[in-house]
Amino acid sequence: MNLFTYFRDKIEREMLPALAAEGKLPAGLATKGLTVEPPRDPKHGDISANAALVIAKSANMKPRDVEERIAAKFRAD
């Protein structure tokens, strides 16, 4: 398992279900197409994930609101 697979699995299998259990995101969100990869511009960090963009529509939320919840979960972890 590489670093990108680790974070993809962590988001999909741990973070999103935990946020759903806390009532911060709806349960059963579509995660098809979720990717974690190096950012195009190295100045933007080491890892880039499209989770907020992928699930925002099925969550009926703005991507920024989804991103803030996921980021807060990472900070707490």
Side-chain angles (χ1 to χ4, degrees), residues 1-75:
M1 175 184 296
N2 67 34
L3 183 67
F4 303 109
T5 303
Y6 169 80
F7 279 104
R8 185 186 190 288
D9 289 346
K10 186 159 185 76
I11 292 168
E12 187 174 22
R13 296 182 183 164
E14 291 179 34
M15 302 257 170
L16 296 179
L19 288 166
E22 295 168 11
K24 295 180 180 176
L25 288 176
L29 293 170
T31 58
K32 184 177 180 179
L34 192 148
T35 61
V36 177
E37 58 195 9
R40 284 183 230 157
D41 186 344
K43 291 185 262 180
H44 295 152
D46 297 320
I47 297 174
S48 175
N50 67 349
L53 296 171
V54 168
I55 66 173
K57 188 172 184 176
S58 63
N60 198 27
M61 299 171 70
K62 294 178 184 175
R64 181 66 179 185
D65 295 338
V66 173
E67 179 273 329
E68 288 172 354
R69 288 177 171 102
I70 294 171
K73 196 71 172 162
F74 265 110
R75 284 190 293 276

